[in-house]
Amino acid sequence: MAMKVLLKLMFACSLSGTCLIGMAAMGPDPWGMLGVVVSVVVVASTLLRQLDLAALLIARIVGVLACLALGLLLLAGTIGGSFHLAPSNQMIAVGLALVAFSGCALFAFRLPKP
């Protein structure tokens, strides 16, 4: 139980941090704000058991999407013949890796019954 809470908090912190870094680099957008709202819901699910099912499903989906986004970001770094990412993109890549790890690690826990 404590491991699930720790993974949820790690997921929420890495997601909100990645969204805020992305919004700082590229300007505020609705998707970045949605990421911050999702992280607030996941943190609230540690206190409110009614949100646990929704938070786990959302975290799993976002974890898989972060895996795909990280792959696409790394693929975009190869454009031009050699691999290069700008420093802001490197920070976003590390954040996406943390989001993907913590979100996909929540697949190890059973979904609670509604």
Side-chain angles (χ1 to χ4, degrees):
M1 189 68 169
M3 184 62 126
K4 183 165 78 169
V5 172
L6 183 66
L7 279 172
K8 281 183 181 181
L9 291 176
M10 181 178 161
F11 173 79
C13 289
S14 60
L15 179 63
S16 61
T18 302
C19 289
L20 292 174
I21 289 171
M23 287 192 298
M26 296 177 252
D29 62 340
W31 293 108
M33 293 294 194
L34 181 66
V36 173
V37 169
V38 165
S39 64
V40 168
V41 169
V42 171
V43 168
S45 75
T46 61
L47 302 172
L48 302 171
R49 295 291 166 214
Q50 295 87 357
L51 293 176
D52 198 33
L53 177 65
L56 279 176
L57 287 175
I58 289 171
R60 289 175 177 184
I61 291 169
V62 172
V64 170
L65 290 176
C67 285
L68 295 173
L70 180 62
L72 290 174
L73 180 63
L74 294 177
L75 184 64
T78 62
I79 292 176
S82 64
F83 186 79
H84 175 72
L85 284 177
S88 62
N89 285 342
Q90 291 173 3
M91 291 176 59
I92 292 173
V94 170
L96 283 173
L98 286 172
V99 170
F101 169 74
S102 57
C104 290
L106 289 170
F107 274 106
F109 298 100
R110 286 186 186 190
L111 291 175
K113 299 206 178 190

